[in-house]
Amino acid sequence: MILKLENVEKHYEQFDLKCSLEVHKGCVTGLIGQNGAGKSTTFKAILGLINTDGGKIEVFGKEIKSLSAKDKEEIGVVLSDSGFSGYLTVKDILPILTSMYSAFDQNDFLKKCRHFSIPMDRKIKEFSTGMKAKLKVLVAMSHNAKLLILDEPTAGLDVIARDELLDLMREYMEQGDASILISSHISSDLEGLCDDIYMIHDGQIIMHEETDRLLGDYGVLKVTAQEYDKLDKRYILKRKKEHYGYSCLTNEKQYYLDNYRGITVEKGNIDEVITMMIRGEEK
Amino acid sequence: MKGLLIKDFKLLKSQTNFFITIFIIGILLMVMQGSPIIPISYGTLMFSMFTLSTISYDEFDNCNAFLFTLPVTRKQYVLEKYVFGILVAVIPWAVSTGISVIYQTIKNPGEDLTELLISAPVMLCFALVFLGLTLPVQLKFGADKGRMAMFGVMGVIVVIGFVIGFVLKSLGIPLEEMISNLTTMGLAGLLGAILTFCAVLWVISYSVSLKIIVKKQF
């Protein structure tokens, strides 16, 4: 286990986080939720940027408070709202990274900067949103970290730039046994990248599932009120009242396809599942 | 800590034009006023104040959060600010003192440099005391609130000084006599006393700053 959160709690005046999650070696784990759901708070708790009010956080099997500087070299981080000072240039951050990370690969970093047309001499505050995002990810990947913690790394990017960054992450995973915890509110980013996905809402993890199962077995049944009454509800997770009757989230799509001929079953995707989990009611 | 020092020196480098201007103004004031102490006091204080600016840079756009994800501890961050503070006070102080000595020697050959050489370390101590007082305030309150808080701190120091003076007077202990006794300590004794005071202040200041940063959430 690379990262483990066990009943981690953080209480604010108008928001409470209570979260458990795990990231396994060699896996990409996604954390998805609406804005304000608690994704960034969870990341800050993992990184020790905020004090928690309960629970346990372990990185590489150690309590986060006992992580040494050497341990932190094994973690690459992207924060959605923070990075190197905008008054520095990429040229300026090279010696900083060299002195901080013994495994910093300057040649590879520079090669990737050139590939993504990131200017060396311009102040970071003058970069476009896309350039800033790419630089953050390149920095996180520049020192052969075993764990990447990426909070909204693709936020504010156009489709092409997002795709380029996601390719970078896939390449990173191909190199060895690294692990990634990534958050996004763009579900399609996570669908094609993550091995498993946690959904967070109002500070609580409302679902954890392997991506393959989520996309393969989950579905939404669209049924009339009469059809709903006759349904076997064992595999219905949530239902939502619709003008035609009910839409129902199931984690056994095939069961209904086999046993209820004629009902409409839509293939599950993360957006559909998260919407049903948040807005749907208990069956 | 080395990485953080490099970061702060890179930030200082990004303000090169500002510091060249300060340097030129210091030299001009020295020549125009004929006072070699001006570049020492002015230069040392202006450069050492940049330590506070680095804290503002770290806070700007929430950069602090990212800095603390790098392989540095909070203790190292605080220590680096104090080391950086000493470096940006001592290096400009040494350079400006050298320039002032050369200027004085050329302008008034053979003149006694004792007064200048006594004033120079006092100026350095003044800058270090300033940093020792302001660093915890800046770390606690940040750039904007920090300025207001600094006025408060200065006010409290003045009040404390006044109260001490009043208490000593009430107890019949002559303050003026105590101060005049200090001058009888000799140059080495006086400098030793000032340096001891600076060192004690910095140890207290560092401990307070460390507590502030350890408690801080980002």
Side-chain angles (χ1 to χ4, degrees), chain A residues 10 48-49 51 69 72 82 99, chain B residues 3 62 66 68 72 74 217-218:
Chain A
K10 178 71 185 171
L49 298 173
N51 300 323
K72 284 171 93 179
S82 177
S99 68
Chain B
N62 196 30
F66 178 70
F68 287 109
V72 287
R74 294 186 180 216
Q217 305 197 55
F218 300 97

Side-chain angles (χ1 to χ4, degrees), chain A residues 107-121:
Chain A
N107 290 334
D108 186 59
F109 178 72
L110 288 173
K111 197 174 107 191
K112 284 181 176 145
C113 284
R114 275 192 296 274
H115 174 75
F116 285 107
S117 307
I118 292 172
M120 290 287 119
D121 293 312

Side-chain angles (χ1 to χ4, degrees), chain A residues 58-92:
Chain A
E58 284 181 3
V59 180
F60 310 132
K62 290 182 183 176
E63 284 267 356
I64 47 157
K65 280 187 179 156
S66 62
L67 285 183
S68 65
K70 193 74 190 160
D71 293 325
K72 284 171 93 179
E73 283 195 41
E74 304 286 356
I75 306 173
V77 179
V78 170
L79 293 177
S80 56
D81 59 349
S82 177
F84 273 116
S85 169
Y87 290 88
L88 297 171
T89 65
V90 175
K91 234 180 203 173
D92 289 336

